[in-house]
Amino acid sequence: MIGNFPFVVCMILIALGLWTLLTRRNLIKLTIGISLIESGVNLFLVTLGYVRGGVAPIYTYAPPGAKMVLPTPQALTLTSIVIGLATTALMLAFAVVIYRHRGTLDARKIRELRG
Amino acid sequence: MTIGVHAPILAIAVPLLGAFALPVFAKVHRSLRDLWAIAVGAFTCAMVITVAVQTFTSGIQVYTLGAAAPTDTIASGGFPIRIMLVVDGMSAFMGLISALVGLASLVYAFHFLKEEQGKTLAMTLFFLLWAGMLGMEYTGDMFNFFVFLEVTSIAACSLVGYRTWESRPAEAAFKTMALYTVGGLLVLLAIGILYGEYGALNIAYLSSKITGSQLDKIALGLLLGGLLMKVGAVPAHMWAPDAYGEAPAQAAIMLVANTQASLYGLWRVLFTLFGGALSAPAVGWLVTSLGVLTLLVAVLMAVVQTDLGRLIAYGAVSQIGYMLLGVGVGLTVLPSRPDWGLVAMKGGIFHMVNDAATIGLLFLAAGVVKRAVGTRDLRALGGLGHDLKWTSGFFFLGALALAGIPPLNGFASKFLIYESSFRLSPILTAIAVLGSILLLAVFARAFQGAFLGPRLREAKPASPSMLVAMGVLAAVILAMGLVPGFFVEHMVTPAAEALWRGRDLYLAAVLGG
């Protein structure tokens, strides 16, 4: 049961992010919410790659006969972190542009596009 | 012929390289940049056509990266560890749609974009978006699908919001980016769950292992939710009219093609990845009812629009509803596979290319209007037909095709959807026909308001490259309307068959025997 604890933490993080998206109206806070979901998913991927007693998959450094972990989840996580960086930067850039034009970051006050 | 073997990867790699080399060439000279853009665009289209011809004549193309031979799919141990591209009839068909829209967008952009308003930047993002779309359509690996999905998200949102001197594009781009990112993360979470269960990311291998356990169902739900967000189906359609409406015309049509690439991802997940585990019709009914809801809500919203761009945007969302309806009917009856189920699939898939051409033409015409008089507000427009003769003709053609007036292409695909959805439930057909009638009313009003009547002001006529781009799409509309049988037989049927019965062939092509 205690082995499932990391997965529970990931899901709590994702749920917190979704809750932020649904309840907050500040564009920066919305970006933080998306970052939280992203961290939850990344942690989930890292958790999947954990093998008890496994060693890092570097062939020349591994002791003979040791159990090496599959490096795929780590590679996925790295890719996902880079993508997350790009999306976060882009969203913050849009928030800056919106703030310059409208003088506010409140999503309720900047609705020019509706209907 | 070696270039034919490598065509699938070249179709993705060349626009990707083209995107990042473009600003460098632009630093040297503008004409060098234009020459480079034309060369990359032409080569990409040639590669996509090569892939399509090979797939339609000799079956599924498999390309393996990092193997001694590109056809060497299985590593020792019978387990596919390499990244691979798998192009079946459906992927090839989607590639052709992306190539057509990309070509029109590129040609249109030459005279439409202004140098001082970030032309180089917009063309760079265009090639990035193009590469991402083709990658989504050709990949045979779930994680690569996610990466290309995010490439298209980032490029598409930048294209919506790169005009920072206005406030509305940034607002639309922020909203779109938020929904795209959440959708993408749901997809990634689902991929993580599948990887944790089966230890692989290859679509064919996963498909052969998925049995429909509780975790599989959760993964399917997450994939459905994430992809439907990117497609703009009804509960998550808020971003679509904003993004389509605020993006410049040449980017708006790329967004339409990008939406269809996400729709392709949905079909791939439903028919190939979960094709062996889906037995209950519940998912099919979900897709069908979301389709009907989408088309009804979008058409009703289109009725009250006063901005020409947003009006067409709601038209674009409603067309997604028709595709979901057509393929959803096929998915609902997939376990028993009656003949009319395949007809519904053909209708839905044929409608994808029709939508790309007609909505694309309408967006390009609206772009000409915006450039000619500086506004797209229907209350202020009028009498543009005096100055924009070709453009008003193209808009008229697009509006008729969208509403499904015979003998144009929209009628051919909608008729297939009507006659088959009727077998599932007449209510679906009734709503679909009602949607078409309302669309005709909406676009008749838009055409009359913008192009007919007395001349209110001088309009700047369209430039040659813009007319050529619209002419290409208009020619496709006319060709598909006059000889629909040819297109259905040689392109749509292989695509529909690839989803309808093609899962075993897809698995055999990758996993062998």
Side-chain angles (χ1 to χ4, degrees):
Chain A
M1 195 57 223
I2 194 79
N4 286 335
F5 192 64
F7 296 112
V8 175
V9 171
C10 299
M11 293 309 143
I12 289 175
L13 213 50
I14 294 172
L16 275 177
L18 286 174
W19 185 71
T20 311
L21 282 185
L22 292 175
T23 55
R24 301 293 133 144
R25 287 292 164 261
N26 184 306
L27 298 187
I28 306 285
K29 289 185 181 163
L30 292 179
T31 314
I32 294 174
I34 285 181
S35 266
L36 276 178
I37 302 179
E38 204 180 279
S39 312
V41 176
N42 285 343
L43 275 177
F44 178 67
L45 289 177
V46 171
T47 314
L48 287 177
Y50 178 73
V51 177
R52 193 179 290 266
V55 299
I58 304 169
Y59 194 71
T60 44
Y61 290 148
K67 204 162 50 170
M68 279 193 268
V69 299
L70 199 63
T72 316
Q74 281 86 333
L76 302 190
T77 314
L78 274 180
T79 317
S80 162
I81 289 172
V82 174
I83 292 171
L85 176 80
T87 51
T88 310
L90 198 57
M91 287 186 72
L92 289 176
F94 290 141
V96 169
V97 173
I98 292 172
Y99 185 79
R100 281 199 186 145
H101 282 287
R102 314 280 306 169
T104 177
L105 284 170
D106 191 331
R108 282 165 299 194
K109 290 182 188 149
I110 51 173
R111 287 199 184 158
E112 282 183 272
L113 304 164
R114 49 180 14 179
Chain B
M1 206 174 108
T2 48
I3 198 156
V5 176
H6 297 288
I9 189 68
L10 285 175
I12 303 167
V14 168
L16 204 58
L17 172 75
F20 291 113
L22 198 85
V24 181
F25 286 121
K27 284 274 179 223
V28 181
H29 200 271
R30 276 175 197 160
S31 52
L32 191 65
R33 175 201 65 191
D34 292 347
L35 210 63
W36 173 251
I38 292 168
V40 171
F43 188 76
T44 309
C45 285
M47 285 303 110
V48 169
I49 292 169
T50 313
V51 171
V53 168
Q54 284 173 347
T55 309
F56 289 145
T57 51
S58 61
I60 299 175
Q61 307 274 306
V62 183
Y63 185 89
T64 312
L65 292 127
T71 47
D72 199 6
T73 55
I74 308 287
S76 56
F79 186 76
I81 54 165
R82 300 189 182 98
I83 293 170
M84 52 183 76
L85 307 174
V86 184
V87 186
D88 67 353
M90 190 66 214
S91 308
F93 180 75
M94 291 308 299
L96 286 177
I97 295 181
S98 301
L100 170 72
V101 174
L103 188 69
S105 171
L106 183 63
V107 172
Y108 190 84
F110 272 106
H111 282 156
F112 180 69
L113 295 174
K114 297 191 182 79
E115 290 294 348
E116 66 276 15
Q117 294 188 354
K119 187 174 180 181
T120 307
L121 206 154
M123 285 167 89
T124 307
L125 289 171
F126 157 78
F127 278 116
L128 208 55
L129 180 52
W130 210 13
M133 270 157 41
L134 289 169
M136 275 167 80
E137 286 152 7
Y138 287 173
T139 187
D141 180 285
M142 278 316 278
F143 190 71
N144 272 20
F145 179 78
F146 165 75
V147 171
F148 284 123
L149 187 80
E150 289 294 317
V151 168
T152 59
S153 294
I154 292 168
C157 291
S158 313
L159 268 177
V160 172
Y162 77 93
R163 291 168 303 145
T164 52
W165 53 92
E166 290 175 51
S167 66
R168 289 159 56 115
E171 191 190 331
F174 189 92
K175 207 192 258 184
T176 311
M177 193 77 222
L179 273 162
Y180 273 11
T181 310
V182 173
L185 287 171
L186 293 184
V187 170
L188 181 62
L189 189 60
I191 293 170
I193 291 173
L194 291 177
Y195 178 81
E197 263 193 294
Y198 304 109
L201 293 163
N202 187 293
I203 293 177
Y205 182 80
L206 281 176
S207 174
S208 70
K209 294 286 172 196
I210 285 176
T211 49
S213 66
Q214 202 63 35
L215 273 174
D216 289 339
K217 283 180 186 150
I218 295 173
L220 176 65
L222 289 169
L223 282 169
L224 262 178
L227 288 168
L228 282 172
M229 269 186 183
K230 271 217 75 170
V231 160
V234 136
H237 68 291
M238 303 83 74
W239 66 269
D242 296 352
Y244 292 153
E246 291 309 316
Q250 105 285 357
I253 71 170
M254 287 303 279
L255 285 178
V256 172
N258 182 26
T259 305
Q260 298 196 346
S262 306
L263 209 53
Y264 158 81
L266 194 62
W267 305 158
R268 184 57 79 210
V269 164
L270 288 173
F271 286 92
T272 307
L273 191 60
F274 284 87
L278 272 183
S279 52
V283 180
W285 272 109
L286 178 75
V287 174
T288 312
S289 41
L290 279 180
V292 170
L293 208 61
T294 304
L295 83 88
L296 199 61
V297 169
V299 167
L300 290 177
M301 290 302 287
V303 173
V304 297
Q305 297 305 316
T306 53
D307 180 290
L308 187 59
R310 277 181 86 75
L311 188 143
I312 302 171
Y314 274 108
V317 177
S318 74
Q319 300 309 297
I320 299 292
Y322 281 99
M323 297 165 209
L324 288 172
L325 170 63
V327 180
V329 167
L331 185 65
T332 310
V333 297
L334 191 65
S336 57
R337 285 196 175 83
D339 285 340
W340 52 269
L342 182 61
V343 174
M345 305 267 302
K346 281 185 198 169
I349 289 165
F350 192 21
H351 205 70
M352 292 174 101
V353 62
N354 288 342
D355 168 66
T358 48
I359 289 286
L361 186 60
L362 289 170
F363 271 126
L364 294 185
V368 174
V369 169
K370 169 90 182 190
R371 185 171 173 272
V373 291
T375 179
R376 289 189 313 197
D377 192 337
L378 283 172
R379 289 165 298 194
L381 292 173
L384 290 173
H386 295 283
D387 293 316
L388 308 174
K389 290 200 173 53
W390 280 100
T391 307
S392 48
F394 287 139
F395 190 91
F396 189 62
L397 181 73
L400 288 186
L402 190 70
I405 302 296
L408 294 167
N409 60 352
F411 173 73
S413 56
K414 279 183 184 173
F415 191 71
L416 291 175
I417 296 176
Y418 295 156
E419 67 171 348
S420 53
S421 62
F422 188 77
R423 303 282 294 269
L424 189 65
S425 163
I427 299 168
L428 300 175
T429 320
I431 298 176
V433 173
L434 178 71
S436 271
I437 296 167
L438 280 173
L439 267 183
L440 182 64
V442 167
F443 278 90
R445 177 178 67 99
F447 178 74
Q448 189 259 342
F451 294 101
L452 301 183
R455 180 184 294 176
L456 295 181
R457 60 182 106 182
E458 283 296 317
K460 193 175 156 198
S463 304
S465 88
M466 296 157 78
L467 286 177
V468 169
M470 289 192 285
V472 169
L473 292 179
V476 171
I477 290 175
L478 283 176
M480 286 192 304
L482 294 176
V483 279
F486 175 81
F487 287 92
V488 170
E489 191 185 334
H490 293 285
M491 285 160 58
V492 176
T493 305
E497 284 283 355
L499 296 180
W500 187 244
R501 285 181 216 280
R503 179 173 165 269
D504 299 336
L505 289 174
Y506 188 95
L507 263 57
V510 176
L511 302 174

